[in-house]
Amino acid sequence: MPPTPAPGQHGPAHGAWPSPISTADVVRSGARPGHPSVIGAEVWWEEDRPAEGGRRTVVHLAADGTRHELLPPPWDARTRVHEYGGRSYAVAPGTGLVFAHHADQRLYLLPAGGTAPRPLTPQPEIEGGLRYADPLVHDGEVWCVQERHTGDGKVTRSIVSVPLAGGEPTQRVSGHDFYASPVLSPDGAHLAYICWDHPCMPWTGTELRVARLAGGDSRCVRGGPAESVLAPRWKDDRTLYLVTDRSGWWNLEEATLDGGSRQLCPAEEEFAWVSAELGGAPYAVLGDGRLAVLHGLGDLRLGVLDPATGVLTDLDTPYGGWLPCLAADGATVCGVAYGPALPRSVVRVDVPTGRAEALRREPGASPGYLPVPRPVRIDGRLGRTVHAIVYPPANPSVPPGGGPAPYVLFAHGGPAAHGVTALDLHKAFLTSRGFGVLDVNYSGSTGYGRAYRERLRGQWGVADVEDTIAAAEWLIAEGLADPARIAIRGGSAGGWTAMAACCSSGIFRGGVSVAGVGALAPLAAATHDFESRYVEWLVGPPDPLLYASREPLARVAGIRCPMLLMQGRNDPVVPPAQAEAIVAALTERGVPCAYLSFEGEGHGFRRAETRGAALAAELAFYQQIFRP
């Protein structure tokens, strides 16, 4: 039942405001366009289909302005490398579209003008045992990251090339645990790539290496276990652009094969994000030699950098932020942009004029029902600054007033990710009904420099929890939130933070965890290879006492508020046993707990019916726990 108005309160109570934003609207906004490519007047991008089982297709905008979905059902352009995937396709000009198909993880070629993809890579012995990601096409071959799974559970990775005519992959580089961003020099003589080894993650320590293809030898150009190097691009046959955080910020540099280097635009802001997905592109090389770049704190804005002079000029577009997936051809830049009232859009920008054209836009909502985000800095424990974004309730049909609102704190996943000021119908679904939302970029979040990320080293379950509690206390001190009606929710690592915060403080009226981590030793033993050593960085080497002092399952006695847990039954990252153990422990202690598990879903929900059911359950949970 929705909450009723308090005595003396006029109009509907917070949480029961009439809203035109439905669960179906939120689900329809899940197309998540990404990874654009541009050649001349033609543009390609990936796009999800929640109503079709969550599959992903590739859309082509032709030179004449017509738009075509290149891959109808059952084709699904999704790679499972690292289990998080990433860029799954590449355009082969004049030949067709190369993509990784989710069902069997093989590479396929859709011939130009054709409708029937044909396989390029052979069927592996184990179904889905050979996976491919981050492809590029060069001189009749597809170059990409290959991930090999064997029957004994071993996982190895390499960079391979595959003929566009099809055939056995040729291994080009191997020996490291992980690879990303393969790029060939213009003359085809050298291969640059990013690599790293356990227990590093791409945001903690990587190397940029260059291999001489004729001789097979390679050497490190930049990086190491204490430096994150990203996104190499060739300037010419002997010079590379790259992003490195050796200054404490992900800034752009130029490096030569003989060891020379120089900073292009040193600044205390980020010129990149990095995630578990492959294929990120935070900058692109324009035809005149300048760089289209993204930079900022939290949200990234689009600018043009002259690498010769270091002059950076922002482009005047209506978008407040851009995702790190730029592509360029000549004077044209394509990317995925957003704003507080502008849904995620594939945008084409003409650099000389600054004209920005939305090629594909997710569904939005009436501006009056959209919250206006406000980035804030909160004083956390021990003098730490905590970055967050406030989304106040917004509904033009409800008169102002009514006192402090119920608030839901959002803890993002990752934990090396961050919330941005993008239009998000999940948040608007809540704020239009009278709930406030506070998106907390707790210690460890990207977007604010390496030192901010390093605050979570060895402190997972401590720093993130302290930051979210401080954020809840700030809401009360500012008079924004009703002290008796604050909840916290999160997915994956954010689910861990939500549950751990409920273990540590009575300030929360309830908690929601979606595929949240509940126990550390089982996670390290059962999760996928990519994050199998991440717990060592986040908490420390295996130690039963240390782990018990952090994990929600061992500290479940501290949870006294109702909980809602949701989980995909086919989750390879956080196995369902994690949620089931928490539910059993809460039930044994008599703590109200609801559990929803969804067949056919993995780490995060892709299907329209699942996403709709999960959102409806979340709304009902808040309305129940916030009832006066």
Side-chain angles (χ1 to χ4, degrees):
M1 293 287 293
T4 55
Q9 179 177 332
H10 300 286
H14 285 288
W17 294 359
S19 171
I21 303 175
S22 67
T23 57
D25 293 327
V26 180
V27 170
R28 279 195 296 271
S29 71
R32 294 188 288 192
H35 298 297
S37 301
V38 56
I39 301 175
E42 298 182 87
V43 183
W44 297 257
W45 64 86
E46 296 179 359
E47 196 170 288
D48 285 358
R49 292 287 182 264
E52 299 174 19
R55 75 178 188 92
R56 183 173 296 161
T57 188
V58 176
V59 177
H60 175 219
L61 181 72
D64 62 4
T66 58
R67 193 167 67 182
H68 309 276
E69 180 177 325
L70 297 181
L71 301 175
W75 297 105
D76 187 353
R78 268 195 295 152
T79 171
R80 288 182 55 197
V81 172
H82 296 175
E83 299 298 346
Y84 290 108
R87 187 181 182 94
S88 65
Y89 82 97
V91 178
T95 302
L97 182 83
V98 176
F99 68 97
H101 179 45
H102 183 259
D104 60 10
Q105 290 298 290
R106 298 167 71 184
L107 284 179
Y108 285 78
L109 174 69
L110 175 66
T115 58
R118 60 176 177 83
L120 295 183
T121 54
Q123 177 70 42
E125 294 181 4
I126 299 174
E127 184 71 18
L130 290 177
R131 306 174 183 180
Y132 304 90
D134 205 2
L136 67 92
V137 177
H138 180 89
D139 197 21
E141 290 186 299
V142 183
W143 296 69
C144 57
V145 176
Q146 183 195 68
E147 184 176 86
R148 179 182 294 268
H149 294 248
T150 60
D152 58 3
K154 185 178 180 181
V155 183
T156 58
R157 297 168 188 86
S158 59
I159 295 176
V160 301
S161 64
V162 181
L164 275 174
E168 287 285 345
T170 299
Q171 189 175 88
R172 299 290 187 166
V173 175
S174 63
H176 289 277
D177 292 334
F178 301 97
Y179 292 91
S181 305
V183 283
L184 286 155
S185 59
D187 62 5
H190 292 90
L191 172 70
Y193 56 92
I194 300 296
C195 61
W196 66 98
D197 295 302
H198 283 305
C200 289
M201 301 298 287
W203 46 87
T204 64
T206 63
E207 291 184 356
L208 167 59
R209 299 187 71 89
V210 174
R212 186 166 56 91
L213 295 178
D217 58 310
S218 71
R219 66 184 186 88
C220 180
V221 174
R222 177 79 77 254
E227 179 182 357
S228 173
V229 186
L230 311 170
R233 293 291 183 271
W234 290 94
K235 176 183 179 181
D236 53 43
D237 292 334
R238 304 290 299 175
T239 311
L240 283 155
Y241 296 122
L242 58 101
V243 176
T244 171
D245 70 352
R246 65 173 176 165
S247 69
W249 300 88
W250 273 315
N251 280 189
L252 279 157
E253 290 192 6
E254 182 181 284
T256 59
L257 297 187
D258 59 10
S261 67
R262 68 182 182 96
Q263 293 181 295
L264 299 184
C265 185
E268 290 190 351
E269 58 180 6
E270 305 283 49
F271 283 72
W273 301 338
V274 65
S275 72
E277 292 190 0
L278 294 171
Y283 67 96
V285 183
L286 298 168
D288 61 7
R290 294 183 298 165
L291 305 178
V293 303
L294 302 177
H295 67 108
L297 296 175
D299 294 302
L300 299 179
R301 57 192 182 274
L302 178 64
V304 175
L305 172 66
D306 185 339
T309 64
V311 174
L312 174 60
T313 305
D314 283 343
L315 295 177
D316 184 15
T317 73
Y319 301 95
W322 294 71
L323 301 185
C325 56
L326 294 182
D329 187 36
T332 299
V333 177
C334 285
V336 177
Y338 59 82
L342 293 172
R344 185 182 295 191
S345 308
V346 178
V347 178
R348 178 168 54 190
V349 179
D350 178 69
V351 172
T353 64
R355 179 176 179 269
E357 175 189 9
L359 306 180
R360 201 287 181 211
R361 178 171 289 174
E362 285 194 335
S366 172
Y369 291 92
L370 299 177
V372 179
R374 178 166 61 96
V376 297
R377 297 188 178 194
I378 296 167
D379 292 330
R381 189 176 179 188
L382 302 176
R384 291 197 304 254
T385 295
V386 180
H387 293 275
I389 306 169
V390 180
Y391 294 83
N395 190 311
S397 69
V398 178
Y407 260 80
V408 181
L409 271 66
F410 276 45
H412 62 73
H418 69 277
V420 295
T421 60
L423 188 157
D424 180 349
L425 284 190
H426 184 171
K427 294 185 178 74
F429 179 83
L430 298 175
T431 57
S432 63
R433 285 169 167 77
F435 302 104
V437 169
L438 184 66
D439 211 348
V440 185
N441 286 322
Y442 51 81
S443 295
S445 301
T446 51
Y448 307 99
R450 186 174 183 108
Y452 199 85
R453 301 197 308 274
E454 290 281 341
R455 288 185 352 194
L456 201 61
R457 182 193 287 265
Q459 294 297 304
W460 197 36
V462 177
D464 54 322
V465 170
E466 291 174 348
D467 290 352
T468 53
I469 293 172
E473 293 170 343
W474 177 86
L475 282 172
I476 296 170
E478 292 291 309
L480 299 174
D482 180 343
R485 293 189 292 170
I486 300 176
I488 185 170
R489 64 97 61 207
S492 190
W496 155 283
T497 299
M499 292 187 290
C502 291
C503 291
S504 303
S505 173
I507 200 170
F508 300 107
R509 187 70 174 267
V512 177
S513 170
V514 181
V517 177
L520 295 174
L523 176 74
T527 195
H528 60 136
D529 181 63
F530 176 71
E531 291 179 312
S532 61
R533 302 280 298 278
Y534 194 20
V535 170
E536 296 180 26
W537 190 92
L538 289 168
V539 180
D543 180 329
L545 292 178
L546 174 62
Y547 283 11
S549 72
R550 303 287 183 84
E551 60 190 27
L553 183 60
R555 302 172 57 226
V556 73
I559 298 180
R560 294 179 173 85
C561 61
M563 301 294 293
L564 169 64
L565 280 77
M566 296 184 280
Q567 179 74 45
R569 294 182 188 174
N570 305 113
D571 190 342
V573 178
V574 181
Q578 293 265 329
E580 292 162 2
I582 293 287
V583 170
L586 290 172
T587 302
E588 182 179 358
R589 299 187 62 82
V591 177
C593 178
Y595 177 52
L596 298 176
S597 64
F598 298 97
E599 190 64 51
E601 294 286 6
H603 196 62
F605 304 147
R606 300 187 59 85
R607 299 180 177 184
E609 58 271 25
T610 302
R611 296 178 61 214
L615 185 58
E618 192 172 337
L619 173 63
F621 178 76
Y622 297 140
Q623 290 177 332
Q624 184 174 19
I625 65 172
F626 290 151
R627 183 184 300 159

